[in-house]
Amino acid sequence: MTTTTPAVSPLDLDDKLALYRMQLALRLFEQRAYDMFLENLVKGTSHLSLGQEAIAAGVAAAMKPTDWTFATYRGHAHTLARGVPMTPVLAELLGRSNGLMAGKGGSMHLTSVEHGVMGSYAIIGAHLPIACGAAWSAQFRGTDQVAVCFFGDGSTNIGAFHEALNFAAIWKLPVVFVCENNLWMEYTRTTEVTAVENPAADRASAYGLESIMVDGNDADAVYEVAAAAIARARAGEGPSMIEAKTYRHGGHSRADPGKYRPDSEVAEWLAKDPIPRYHTRLLELGASEDQLVEIERDVVREVDLATEQAKAGGVPGEDLLMKDVWADGGSSWRN
Amino acid sequence: MAQLTFREAIARGIAQEMRRDESVVFLGEDIGAAGGVFKGTVGLLEEFGGVRVRDTPISEQAILGAAMGAAMTGLKPIAEIMFADFFAVCWDIVVNEIAKSRYMTNGQMTFPLVIRSGNGGGLRFGAQHSQSVENWAMMVPGLKVVVPSTPEDVIGLMAASIRDPDPVIFLEAKALYSTKTEVPDGEIVDSLGTAKVLRSGSNATLVALGAMVPKAMKAAEELAGQGIDCTVVDVRSLVPLDTQTLLREISATGRLFTIEENPRLCGWGGELSSIVSEEIFYDLDGPIVRITTPHIPLPAADALEDMAIPSVERIVSTVNKSMNS
Ligand SMILES: Cc1ncc(C[n+]2csc(CCOP(=O)(O)OP(=O)(O)O)c2C)c(N)n1
Ligand SMILES: [Mg+2]
């Protein structure tokens, strides 16, 4: 497919400082969520984006407020990156009534329609076709909205992935698929169970799409490919698929120590941590150390405040239990 | 008034709503240029064009995922799953995504969509193209389940389903596609959650759904000749379920016979029996009897399929035996 890439506006220093702040916010939020999991305050499960923050932050920086995000169970970062405040997200993880969905969804289903976060989905691959539907609706109504859909490397082997790519391509839908290739699907190395080396990029050509790969630990690079893909989608040029290489610093979920991964691999990727890298870049671009320290202090304050407010949240009441199965707000199935 | 087949009623119902509401769109396999594999959607592409009536690839997950994504962002999609058996390849989207997402998001999302599908046996298609799956759908919290039995109800219930803000599984009995009845002209709009009393009797109440409704009516006629006077109720909507009408009609005769095409285990009649036992047990004059397809995959041969699906003869003999024992 030949594509004409519409011009992408480059990020200036202020934009980059904001991008740094966002990455740091995602990092410190996830660390707090992990600590609170170990304290048994975060119940059930949670899947952190520690180490992968540059992707959620970089892509979100390229989106308009009216665009839509479709995330996975590993979706705290993607939700926060769209501007959802930390308190309701953390409170949702704690199962409190001030949670984003009042405790009815939990960590894996973060949704904030008012911020364009159209759900986090925990059945592998299911949200790719759903993102196609939102994109179809934008196309049908003639709005310039774009749907952006995040998923992991392991999710490229399920049928819904392939159905969605073909569907998006034939209908030329304004959707951008972003594969966060962190090399692992739970406890198995994805290349061990995948026919190609690059699980998303190598499949793109099968659907007439360009093969786009990017360093997922470089927020600026992510921003650039995302902005170009989003611009193409907005211009009616159809879908794109981006494969962003990255690594999760922690385990798959909960308290998984991730011991199945060789130490050398972990060390190699820790050295490529997106946040110190971005810090160094900002200093080279002329930001001052003081500025960056102030940003960090500000983020710490935000996380601490969210922690306090989330913990202070109430227990969801029985009134919520039977609410909102149906659009009339109720759950009645008989008269 | 015009004579209309069940299959023509489908296109008429969809067209009625597409004319009324620009946000109603329709997608599925072979629905456009081909007019549907059962010819239930003839003329829709011609009237509404390829932007609103869209043929899809053979991708059931993509079809229903697209319907869901479109519904959450303001459209009112109608999606076709050609044969109800094929729900098995996209059941995740139905059960985990469409049905749960309003609840999980604390009411942030609404899914005004209809999934219509050719359901059940009678066409000798064999086990993978004949199952009656109303019990699959009924057991899922968050889905409404509608099963019309006449051309007029197809139009009215289709309109009600499309206008309803919640996801509706609309099951069309394949065995009824060629039935033809008088249908009034003009707009027809019915309401969900309303059972219909088709015949009033004093001895027994036959409760039927979809393709079993005309069989129940025929059986009631024969039973009348044998001195058993039956009420026949067409359930029409499993969710919401019109228990008021059902319980009233069952209480009135004191006997309940369910006539179900779904395989026996966890069929809708089991749920109805439990409601009846809990709420009007002392109004009953005899056991509840369920007349269902046995718990088997459906065979293809006409002789075998006819033995499996409840027939007029089986209904008559079962009711007769039970009433006279
Ligand atoms: C259909 C389905 N199968 C299996 C699972 C269990 N599961 C949850 S996450 C996961 C690994 C996914 O790996 P990947 O797509 O690479 O995403 P990552 O967790 O690395 O972000 C699996 C197998 C699931 N949620 N859904
Ligand atoms: Mg992975």
Side-chain angles (χ1 to χ4, degrees):
Chain A
M1 185 189 281
T2 51
T3 51
T4 50
T5 305
V8 168
S9 56
L11 297 173
D12 63 22
L13 185 59
D14 280 346
D15 297 328
K16 292 192 183 197
L17 286 166
L19 195 43
Y20 176 68
R21 190 190 187 286
M22 181 55 80
Q23 293 179 81
L24 203 57
L26 304 181
R27 170 68 51 94
L28 298 185
F29 178 94
E30 293 288 60
Q31 285 175 343
R32 181 60 50 87
Y34 186 68
D35 292 344
M36 293 174 84
F37 183 84
L38 296 181
E39 289 173 63
N40 198 28
L41 284 166
V42 171
K43 307 283 168 57
T45 189
S46 72
H47 305 74
L48 307 178
S49 287
L50 289 170
Q52 307 185 188
E53 299 89 343
I55 302 170
V59 174
M63 295 172 75
K64 282 193 191 173
T66 46
D67 292 337
W68 294 307
T69 294
F70 290 81
T72 70
Y73 52 88
R74 196 182 301 288
H76 308 166
H78 309 81
T79 301
L80 294 167
R82 295 303 308 281
V84 179
M86 285 185 185
T87 297
V89 177
L90 196 55
E92 185 66 28
L93 270 51
L94 268 61
R96 302 299 165 96
S97 59
N98 57 338
L100 194 56
M101 297 92 76
K104 292 178 76 171
S107 160
M108 298 204 281
H109 301 295
L110 298 174
T111 303
S112 181
V113 170
E114 66 166 303
H115 295 91
V117 181
M118 305 305 279
S120 302
Y121 299 81
I123 307 294
I124 295 294
H127 60 312
L128 279 84
I130 301 167
C132 287
W136 171 37
S137 146
Q139 181 189 62
F140 180 86
R141 289 178 294 117
T143 71
D144 74 345
Q145 289 161 290
V146 173
V148 177
C149 182
F150 297 90
F151 54 93
D153 41 281
S155 307
T156 61
N157 290 322
I158 201 160
F161 168 89
H162 297 275
E163 289 195 16
L165 278 161
N166 182 60
F167 199 84
I170 54 165
W171 285 17
K172 245 184 159 190
L173 297 176
V175 55
V176 177
F177 300 105
V178 181
C179 176
E180 298 189 15
N181 182 359
N182 62 10
L183 313 186
W184 291 84
M185 42 158 285
E186 284 184 346
Y187 319 119
T188 302
R189 191 183 289 285
T190 293
T191 48
E192 283 175 13
V193 292
T194 305
V196 291
E197 181 65 26
N198 305 297
D202 291 352
R203 264 95 171 236
S205 65
Y207 303 103
L209 302 178
E210 217 181 305
S211 177
I212 304 172
M213 291 220 267
V214 66
D215 177 352
N217 282 16
D218 178 343
D220 289 341
V222 170
Y223 166 80
E224 271 165 39
V225 292
I230 290 169
R232 282 195 299 275
R234 240 190 264 298
E237 291 178 26
S240 299
M241 184 158 61
I242 296 168
E243 179 172 330
K245 271 238 165 119
T246 186
Y247 203 71
R248 60 170 150 79
H249 288 176
H252 168 70
S253 67
R254 298 166 59 92
D256 165 30
K259 284 298 179 211
Y260 39 87
R261 308 180 303 178
D263 292 345
S264 59
E265 182 181 284
V266 176
E268 179 200 328
W269 280 94
L270 283 175
K272 292 192 263 190
D273 187 331
I275 294 176
R277 268 173 84 185
Y278 210 76
H279 186 277
T280 307
R281 182 175 302 162
L282 285 171
L283 293 177
E284 285 165 9
L285 289 171
S288 71
E289 188 68 60
D290 283 354
Q291 257 178 312
L292 301 186
V293 167
E294 187 42 51
I295 288 175
E296 180 155 0
R297 279 209 194 103
D298 188 46
V299 171
V300 170
R301 274 194 295 270
E302 189 185 347
V303 174
D304 285 343
L305 180 66
T307 307
E308 237 173 77
Q309 290 177 335
K311 279 176 160 175
V315 174
E318 209 177 335
D319 55 316
L320 287 171
L321 185 66
M322 304 302 285
K323 193 171 150 285
D324 275 322
V325 171
W326 308 124
D328 68 5
S331 59
S332 163
W333 53 270
R334 57 169 284 188
N335 59 9
Chain B
M1 285 290 218
Q3 288 275 324
L4 207 64
T5 60
F6 196 93
R7 57 162 56 90
E8 288 163 341
I10 291 159
R12 181 167 144 191
I14 294 173
Q16 173 187 302
E17 295 307 298
M18 289 188 80
R19 274 177 216 130
R20 173 180 175 267
D21 184 345
E22 281 288 318
S23 63
V24 178
V25 291
F26 181 30
L27 78 168
E29 295 160 21
D30 295 323
I31 60 155
V37 292
F38 299 110
K39 296 287 171 220
T41 60
V42 173
L44 295 175
L45 175 70
E46 290 71 14
E47 180 171 355
F48 300 102
V51 173
R52 291 181 71 193
V53 177
R54 287 190 92 160
D55 279 321
T56 68
I58 308 165
S59 301
E60 279 74 12
Q61 296 186 72
I63 293 168
L64 296 191
M68 176 179 174
M72 69 165 74
T73 52
L75 299 188
K76 293 185 188 135
I78 306 166
E80 175 175 314
I81 296 299
M82 194 185 284
F83 285 78
D85 312 68
F86 306 167
F87 270 120
V89 302
C90 51
W91 202 227
D92 168 56
I93 305 281
V94 179
V95 175
N96 284 314
E97 318 300 339
I98 291 171
K100 292 176 182 170
S101 288
R102 181 175 174 80
Y103 185 86
M104 289 199 300
T105 63
N106 196 28
Q108 290 183 59
M109 288 178 169
T110 306
F111 300 96
L113 61 85
V114 176
I115 305 172
R116 37 173 299 271
S117 190
N119 189 47
L123 304 188
R124 290 70 168 102
F125 283 174
Q128 294 184 342
H129 288 69
S130 302
Q131 187 162 343
S132 244
V133 305
E134 56 271 21
N135 55 338
W136 292 5
M138 187 190 189
M139 67 172 68
V140 179
L143 298 179
K144 293 181 176 172
V145 186
V146 173
V147 190
S149 72
T150 67
E152 186 174 345
D153 279 3
V154 164
I155 301 170
L157 292 173
M158 178 81 74
S161 299
I162 293 169
R163 295 182 193 192
D164 194 272
D166 293 310
V168 177
I169 307 293
F170 192 90
L171 297 173
E172 299 159 6
K174 295 198 292 291
L176 297 180
Y177 274 133
S178 58
T179 55
K180 197 177 210 176
T181 59
E182 289 277 312
V183 175
D185 299 326
E187 189 181 79
I188 303 175
V189 186
D190 210 318
S191 55
L192 304 188
T194 52
K196 228 185 210 172
V197 181
L198 300 181
R199 179 190 170 108
S200 275
S202 52
N203 301 131
T205 301
L206 313 185
V207 177
L209 183 79
M212 298 300 100
V213 173
K215 292 189 184 186
M217 287 297 282
K218 269 216 189 78
E221 271 168 42
E222 287 187 26
L223 286 160
Q226 299 170 18
I228 301 171
D229 187 17
C230 293
T231 291
V232 176
V233 185
D234 180 354
V235 186
R236 303 201 314 154
S237 167
L238 290 174
V239 181
L241 186 67
D242 184 3
T243 49
Q244 285 189 17
T245 300
L246 291 164
L247 293 178
R248 186 187 69 222
E249 296 301 322
I250 297 161
S251 286
T253 65
R255 290 301 306 269
L256 166 61
F257 295 84
T258 66
I259 300 149
E260 308 167 49
E261 190 176 339
N262 49 212
R264 185 168 182 98
L265 298 193
C266 303
W268 57 265
E271 189 57 50
L272 180 60
S273 304
S274 123
I275 295 169
V276 167
S277 307
E278 282 185 37
E279 300 179 28
I280 54 166
F281 183 76
Y282 296 104
D283 294 346
L284 293 179
D285 299 326
I288 297 169
V289 177
R290 292 180 59 207
I291 302 167
T292 75
T293 298
H295 208 62
I296 55 171
L298 271 188
D302 47 2
L304 291 172
E305 193 185 41
D306 288 344
M307 289 175 218
I309 298 172
S311 61
V312 174
E313 299 70 46
R314 174 139 66 101
I315 299 167
V316 169
S317 66
T318 308
V319 173
N320 199 321
K321 198 169 140 213
S322 177
M323 294 298 289
N324 290 311
S325 66

